Amino acid sequence: MSSQISCPDCGGIIVFDAHALLRGETFVCTGCRAMLTLSRDSVSTVADAMSKLDALRKRSNEVRRSSG
């Protein structure tokens, strides 16, 4: 699932996939070529947050299906 953020250097767009970011992939700003990557120290924090987000999405989808 792709997401995007504004580049802190130039305001351009950095399109990234959070799961690929966790695997160590690097993403590049379309404007200035600044790179987005995770430090080794951040991987466990981001992985935990992504796991919680995925669980929330799953529950939200289940609620929608059961109420619809």
Side-chain angles (χ1 to χ4, degrees):
M1 179 174 161
S2 290
S3 299
Q4 63 184 33
I5 60 170
S6 295
C7 176
D9 290 340
C10 75
I13 301 294
I14 302 174
V15 178
F16 69 99
D17 177 279
H19 294 286
L21 195 59
L22 286 171
R23 291 190 302 270
E25 291 186 33
T26 299
F27 298 87
V28 180
C29 172
T30 58
C32 69
R33 309 293 294 161
M35 292 187 278
L36 171 66
T37 190
L38 287 179
S39 68
R40 290 177 194 236
D41 295 339
S42 299
V43 171
S44 63
T45 301
V46 174
D48 183 49
M50 287 302 303
S51 177
K52 290 176 182 176
L53 180 59
D54 288 342
L56 284 172
R57 283 184 180 144
K58 182 179 177 183
R59 276 191 268 158
S60 177
N61 289 337
E62 290 169 355
V63 168
R64 274 191 233 134
R65 280 185 289 223
S66 67
S67 65

